[in-house]
Amino acid sequence: MMIGKGLAHTSAMVVSDADTAIALGSGDMPVLSTPALLALMENAAMLAVAPALGEGQTTVGGHIASSHLKPSKPGARVAATATLEEIDGRKLSFRVEAREGDTLIGEGTHLRFVVDRDRFLAKL
C-alpha cells in the first residue's frame, strides 16, 4: 500500500431532480439533499486513495461529519474535494469540503478504512 498524506481528489456533479431532498426523502424542498452531498464527499475520498491501494484492496466509509451550509438548486454544479490528512494503520482521515462555484456549501471530516474486498464481502 502506497498511501500518503496529501492525496486528494475532487468529484463533481450537476444537481438533478433525483438528487433533491424531495426525491431522497430527507426533506421536502427541491434542493440538493444532504445525503447526496455527503455521497459526493465520500466519492471524492474513495477516489483520492484508490490508485494507491494494493491489489484486491478498497476503502469503506466509517464515519462522516459535515455541515451543509447553503442550498443548491437542480442544474447547479457542485464539487467536493477530499484531502487525506491522517493515516493510522488501515484508518484514513480526510478533510472534505464542497463548493458551488466559489461558495463553500459544506465542510467536515470523513473516516475510511482500507479493507480486502474479498474478505470484507465474505463477512456478509
Side-chain angles (χ1 to χ4, degrees), residues 15-84:
V15 179
S16 74
D17 289 337
D19 302 312
T20 65
I22 293 171
L24 292 178
S26 64
D28 61 4
M29 301 282 281
V31 296
L32 175 64
S33 69
T34 300
L37 179 64
L38 296 179
L40 187 65
M41 291 173 166
E42 279 201 85
N43 180 263
M46 176 193 69
L47 293 175
V49 297
L53 296 174
E55 184 72 29
Q57 291 183 320
T58 189
T59 59
V60 294
H63 184 263
I64 191 164
S66 177
S67 60
H68 191 170
L69 303 169
K70 296 193 180 288
S72 301
K73 64 183 180 183
R77 184 180 186 280
V78 173
T81 300
T83 304
L84 181 58

Side-chain angles (χ1 to χ4, degrees), residues 118-124:
D118 292 337
R119 272 189 278 184
F120 185 86
L121 291 174
K123 294 177 183 177
L124 297 180

Side-chain angles (χ1 to χ4, degrees), residues 1-4 49 52-54 57 59 87 89-92 114:
M1 180 165 52
M2 302 288 294
I3 296 174
V49 297
L53 296 174
Q57 291 183 320
T59 59
I87 305 163
R90 298 181 314 109
K91 184 167 69 170
L92 309 177
V114 177

